[in-house]
Amino acid sequence: MVDRLEVRQADITTLPVDAIVNAANTSLLGGGGVDGAIHRAAGPRLLEACRTIGGCPTGEARITPGFDLPARWVIHTVGPVWHGGHRGEDELIASCYRESLALAERAGARTIAFPAISTGAYGFPMACAARIAVAEIAAWLQGHPAVDRVILVVRGEEALHAHRDALAEMGG
Ligand code: APR
């Protein structure tokens, strides 16, 4: 039973959680998709903060304040671009979830919201990404009781069904 993990259709920039995760690129200087939405909602101070970080390798994560967002923190993680699945994409996307959770917990976040990392511009197949996300988060939560809730925030029916199916397969 994965009682501290839920799937929810929403705009992640509106959620009053402690930390939201951004699906960024290695420059951390913004982009489209959820990256663009988060920067728009957080305001220009987010880009200023990201500039001081100096980028982020794929599979890793960096943390900044949320500025004008309802969320206190933004955790920027860089998912893999999908190249067919033979360049370590599965391990890299799993690392994004683990690294983001570790950073959030270190910052004292108790509620964390993720978008479906890499499933947009980076082309990661939704069903596969959803299974990895649910498995990684569920496994991580087992060893980290300090985190109260993780929300997988999805947009659209395909993402909703893929993540709900993945959660159901885990007994969630
Ligand atoms: N709230 C929640 N989820 C969202 C939102 C939002 N406001 N906007 C988009 N999404 C969803 C998309 O539907 C998709 O399922 O986020 C998921 C990730 O899609 P992208 O934002 O395209 O991210 P990704 O596939 O990881 O590509 C990252 O795109 O925006 C650029 O700078 C970014 O270069 C990086 C690349």
Side-chain angles (χ1 to χ4, degrees):
M1 188 64 184
V2 193
D3 56 354
R4 290 179 286 150
L5 173 55
E6 73 171 271
V7 176
R8 191 187 302 179
Q9 274 196 309
D11 172 351
I12 200 169
T13 66
T14 67
L15 298 184
V17 292
D18 292 333
I20 63 169
V21 177
N22 180 22
N25 59 60
T26 53
S27 75
L28 294 189
L29 297 180
V34 71
D35 195 2
I38 288 173
H39 274 272
R40 277 193 298 280
R45 290 180 293 169
L46 181 61
L47 183 57
E48 286 166 30
C50 288
R51 280 209 176 91
T52 67
I53 295 172
C56 179
T58 300
E60 294 188 21
R62 301 290 186 272
I63 191 167
T64 67
F67 299 112
D68 300 341
L69 284 162
R72 184 165 174 213
W73 306 101
V74 179
I75 291 164
H76 307 264
T77 194
V78 181
V81 176
W82 180 256
H83 291 292
H86 306 292
R87 295 194 196 173
E89 293 97 322
D90 284 10
E91 180 40 43
L92 283 167
I93 199 173
S95 172
C96 286
Y97 285 96
R98 287 195 303 269
E99 293 296 312
S100 298
L101 287 163
L103 265 186
E105 185 190 47
R106 212 173 298 151
R110 302 178 69 96
T111 51
I112 305 154
F114 282 93
I117 297 162
S118 282
T119 63
Y122 282 2
F124 208 109
M126 184 66 76
C128 179
R131 275 194 298 274
I132 294 170
V134 168
E136 287 300 323
I137 296 167
W140 190 89
L141 282 172
Q142 302 247 337
H144 297 83
V147 170
D148 295 333
R149 175 163 292 284
V150 175
I151 305 169
L152 278 169
V153 183
V154 293
R155 301 290 288 265
E157 291 304 307
E158 183 202 5
L160 179 65
H161 292 308
H163 286 77
R164 286 222 167 119
D165 290 351
L167 195 54
E169 282 166 28
M170 289 285 293

